[in-house]
């Protein structure tokens, strides 16, 4: 038997990239993963193009591999993900040590590309082929896994928010057939998974073909998944406010396996800015939606994304963002300075200064941190269920996640990863909660 070659993958960006990295690794037969680039025969950077900084990181990281390539001429270096899609052959021009460039829609062709790169060619594929790449990506024989997993159900986006590269890097919205998703979910559960997070750039726009031949919504898919024995928890991300249909709102109230946590980005609170962002919802319609969701599931934890410093954002517009944060109340949040992205409509407009953007980001983050803190502290004394994930930072400790996605540390005694444990929260620390298992009668 020939010795396995070694693969080093570094993943940037969103959870969809994490899922893709897993699938790429599995598809490369004859490779096993290594955590050190120095040992690798193939280095793959799975990149993100969402903000300028994210894209620039790729080039600085590639520069660091120069000495490795000089020492080991057999090393191959590849760039996958959204930078690969956006920049294509330009990457090889700018950094000649790159042998392989593969866009997110072509991962099923990675083994052939790898073979070409190994033979000394420059291999590039940034097509948007018609075929269903996930069905063509090879799986490895069943291996045990940890208790949580991602599962991509939908890819791409047709929304074209004026700031965003995703519709260009990931292409048009496509939903995977429900039968395939159910098969994959059952397989994950057989490997030990107890919680699945369904992924999509616009996951609640899901409209895949169902087992009955009809089109299924995300809610329908969630109900079908909830019938899998052994699967304890279902989550989904990222949702768009315009695609939260009645069935999905209702499922938050009635599907016990669907967790009470929702990432629902609003981006900004001023209707003028929302319109210029091409978001097609208003601050008021968003807040009404939150009300309906909380009516269905009063303890729902809300998470969001925000952009400050979008072109033409005035101080008054920014205050509207602060207002919507106060009105909606977030248990967690991600906030960013607007970053001009090549090829997007907003990049052509007059830009605000970095000073203004920095100042607004600082103020917004102070408010969001305060809210997150208050929500986390309010958990003390409450009963939650924790899915045990892995040993904690200290000896004798385990860590897992509550329904609300808070990390909870507790005494490891008698608990193993994959257990669901009822706990009382005893304290709230800087980044996590502490809990005590409840004695079951
Ligand atoms: N599909 C999701 C998220 C896409 S990207 C959605 O529609 O909400 C994740 C987040 O990155 C976005 O929600 C947005 O807040 C942020 N983002 C996207 N483009 C950006 C840009 N050009 N500058 C700053 N932040 C950006
Ligand atoms: Fe980007 Fe908007 Fe699509 Fe989200 S909905 S991926 S922010 S274009
Ligand atoms: Fe980044 Fe592409 Fe995800 S741009 S956020 S890796 S879809």
């Amino acid at each position: 038997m020939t010795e396995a070659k070694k693969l080093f993958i570094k993943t940037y960006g969103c959870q969809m990239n994490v899922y893709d990295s897993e699938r790429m690794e599995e598809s490369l037969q004859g490779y096993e993963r290594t955590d050190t680039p120095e040992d690798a025969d193939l280095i793959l950077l799975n990149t993100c193009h969402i903000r300028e900084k994210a894209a620039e990181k790729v080039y600085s990281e590639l520069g660091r591999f120069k000495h490795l390539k000089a020492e080991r001429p057999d090393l191959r270096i590849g760039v996958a993900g959204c930078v690969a899609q956006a920049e294509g052959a330009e990457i090889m021009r700018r950094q000649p040590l790159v042998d392989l460039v593969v866009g997110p829609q072509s991962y099923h062709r990675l083994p052939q590309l790898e073979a070409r790169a190994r033979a000394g060619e420059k291999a590039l594929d940034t097509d948007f082929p018609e075929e269903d790449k996930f069905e063509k990506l090879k799986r490895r024989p069943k291996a045990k896994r940890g208790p949580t997993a991602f599962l991509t159900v939908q890819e791409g986006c047709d929304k074209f928010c004026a700031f965003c590269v995703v519709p260009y890097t990931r292409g048009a919205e496509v939903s995977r057939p429900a039968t395939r998703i159910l098969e994959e979910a059952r397989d994950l559960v057989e490997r030990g998974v107890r919680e699945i997070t369904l992924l999509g750039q616009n996951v609640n726009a899901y409209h895949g073909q169902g087992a009955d031949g009809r089109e299924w919504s995300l809610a329908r898919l969630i109900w079908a998944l909830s019938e899998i024995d052994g699967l304890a928890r279902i989550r989904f991300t990222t949702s768009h406010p315009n695609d939260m249909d009645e069935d999905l709102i209702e499922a938050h109230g009635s599907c016990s396996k669907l967790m009470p946590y929702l990432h629902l980005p609003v981006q900004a609170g001023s209707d003028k800015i929302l319109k210029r962002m091409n978001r097609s919802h208003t601050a008021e319609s968003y807040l009404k939606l939150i009300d309906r969701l909380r009516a269905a599931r009063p303890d729902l934890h809300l998470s969001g994304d925000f952009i400050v410093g979008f072109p033409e954002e005035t101080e008054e517009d920014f205050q509207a963002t602060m207002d919507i944060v106060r009105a909606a109340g977030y248990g967690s949040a991600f906030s960013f300075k607007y970053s001009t992205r090549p090829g997007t409509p907003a990049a052509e407009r007059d830009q605000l200064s970095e000073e203004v953007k920095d100042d607004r980001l600082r103020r917004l983050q102070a408010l969001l941190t305060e809210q997150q803190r208050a929500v986390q502290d309010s958990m003390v004394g409450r009963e939650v269920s924790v899915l045990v994930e892995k040993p904690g930072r200290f000896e004798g400790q385990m860590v897992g996640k509550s329904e609300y996605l808070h990390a909870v540390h507790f005494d490891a005694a008698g608990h193993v990863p994959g257990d669901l444990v009822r706990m009382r929260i005893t304290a709230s620390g800087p980044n996590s909660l502490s809990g005590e298992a409840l004695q079951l009668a």
Side-chain angles (χ1 to χ4, degrees):
M1 222 171 90
T2 53
E3 208 181 309
K5 291 201 281 294
K6 294 212 162 52
L7 168 69
F8 173 82
I9 303 193
K10 185 159 180 175
T11 308
Y12 303 81
C14 60
Q15 290 109 324
M16 306 202 53
N17 266 9
V18 176
Y19 176 81
D20 287 342
S21 287
E22 247 174 65
R23 300 293 308 257
M24 282 194 272
E25 179 191 344
E26 282 196 81
S27 81
L28 285 167
Q29 316 266 323
Y31 275 90
E32 62 185 38
R33 196 146 174 172
T34 172
D35 293 331
T36 40
E38 288 74 16
D39 296 341
D41 300 285
L42 174 63
I43 291 176
L44 212 48
L45 300 185
N46 192 7
T47 61
C48 174
H49 201 239
I50 203 80
R51 284 169 290 275
E52 192 180 352
K53 265 199 194 139
E56 281 308 312
K57 259 192 217 156
V58 176
Y59 289 102
S60 59
E61 185 78 39
L62 285 170
R64 268 185 256 151
F65 297 139
K66 219 173 203 156
H67 72 283
L68 289 181
K69 188 94 167 186
E71 285 160 20
R72 307 188 24 227
D74 283 347
L75 170 66
R76 295 292 176 266
I77 297 180
V79 177
C82 291
V83 176
Q85 189 63 46
E87 302 201 351
E90 178 59 27
I91 299 174
M92 289 162 165
R93 270 192 291 274
R94 199 166 146 188
Q95 184 45 275
L97 55 82
V98 173
D99 305 288
L100 183 163
V101 171
V102 59
Q105 299 315 316
S106 305
Y107 292 156
H108 52 300
R109 297 175 178 165
L110 184 59
Q112 292 89 312
L113 293 167
E114 186 272 343
R116 281 171 46 201
R118 190 119 325 268
E121 259 183 72
K122 292 272 180 193
L124 170 95
D125 193 335
T126 51
D127 285 353
F128 285 97
E130 284 290 312
E131 66 250 25
D132 186 342
K133 86 172 172 212
F134 289 118
E135 306 328 318
K136 295 213 150 79
L137 272 168
K138 278 216 172 58
R139 279 285 193 187
R140 293 223 178 130
K142 285 198 190 333
K144 269 296 220 202
R145 315 194 22 143
T148 63
F150 293 134
L151 204 179
T152 293
V153 303
Q154 177 278 330
E155 281 205 288
C157 180
D158 296 337
K159 299 263 192 306
F160 290 93
C161 298
F163 49 81
C164 183
V165 292
V166 170
Y168 311 97
T169 61
R170 294 276 174 164
E173 226 179 81
V174 185
S175 297
R176 296 178 65 190
T179 39
R180 298 275 190 250
I181 295 164
L182 288 163
E183 258 167 42
E184 195 170 327
R186 279 188 212 104
D187 174 72
L188 288 168
V189 170
E190 277 169 28
R191 294 171 192 232
V193 169
R194 304 216 61 199
E195 173 182 298
I196 292 181
T197 303
L198 307 175
L199 300 181
Q201 271 93 15
N202 252 296
V203 72
N204 56 343
Y206 178 82
H207 57 271
Q209 195 187 10
D212 53 8
R214 298 216 186 116
E215 211 171 74
W216 281 12
S217 65
L218 186 66
R220 181 76 191 76
L221 179 66
I222 287 170
W223 280 110
L225 286 162
S226 74
E227 282 168 25
I228 299 176
D229 285 339
L231 179 63
R233 292 173 157 193
I234 302 167
R235 303 180 185 276
F236 61 89
T237 197
T238 293
S239 299
H240 191 286
N242 285 10
D243 294 314
M244 283 312 291
D245 65 17
E246 195 50 48
D247 290 353
L248 192 53
I249 296 173
E250 206 263 325
H252 273 284
S254 53
C255 181
S256 59
K257 290 189 181 180
L258 183 59
M259 292 296 101
Y261 179 99
L262 179 65
H263 183 61
L264 192 66
V266 67
Q267 312 296 355
S270 143
D271 287 344
K272 177 193 96 186
I273 295 298
L274 286 170
K275 195 159 187 186
R276 299 213 164 126
M277 285 178 163
N278 194 30
R279 284 294 289 183
S280 60
H281 56 78
T282 61
E284 194 193 348
S285 69
Y286 179 82
L287 288 173
K288 280 205 173 125
L289 179 60
I290 303 301
D291 284 347
R292 283 164 64 208
L293 281 154
R294 289 210 169 114
R297 181 78 204 218
D299 60 342
L300 187 82
H301 272 221
L302 187 63
S303 158
D305 290 340
F306 301 89
I307 295 178
V308 298
F310 189 76
E312 295 173 65
E313 183 190 71
T314 61
E315 176 62 25
E316 198 186 344
D317 294 322
F318 170 68
Q319 284 305 331
T321 298
M322 298 288 273
D323 289 343
I324 205 166
V325 170
R326 289 187 194 99
Y330 291 90
S332 83
F334 306 86
S335 46
F336 314 98
K337 278 194 290 180
Y338 168 70
S339 169
T340 50
R341 307 309 295 124
T344 60
E348 311 292 316
R349 302 178 194 162
D350 285 345
Q351 305 295 322
L352 300 193
S353 72
E354 283 306 303
E355 291 71 30
V356 169
K357 291 192 214 175
D358 283 332
D359 175 56
R360 290 184 187 163
L361 186 65
R362 196 181 38 73
R363 285 185 282 156
L364 175 62
Q365 289 187 336
L367 175 62
L368 288 167
T369 309
E370 195 185 298
Q371 276 195 348
Q372 272 166 253
R373 190 74 256 156
V375 170
Q376 198 190 300
D377 292 349
S378 74
M379 297 307 297
V380 177
R382 291 205 19 208
E383 236 184 70
V384 295
S385 125
V386 173
L387 176 61
V388 183
E389 286 185 9
K390 56 185 183 204
R393 202 142 47 93
F394 299 107
E395 185 77 27
Q397 238 187 9
M398 281 281 193
V399 64
K401 298 266 167 54
S402 77
E403 308 81 323
Y404 310 106
L405 218 52
H406 283 128
V408 183
H409 283 90
F410 52 94
D411 186 350
H415 305 299
V416 293
D419 284 352
L420 269 174
V421 188
R422 289 299 298 170
M423 289 200 177
R424 180 160 331 271
I425 299 301
T426 52
S428 172
N431 299 309
S432 69
L433 296 165
S434 304
E436 246 171 38
L438 294 173
Q439 298 295 335
L440 293 181

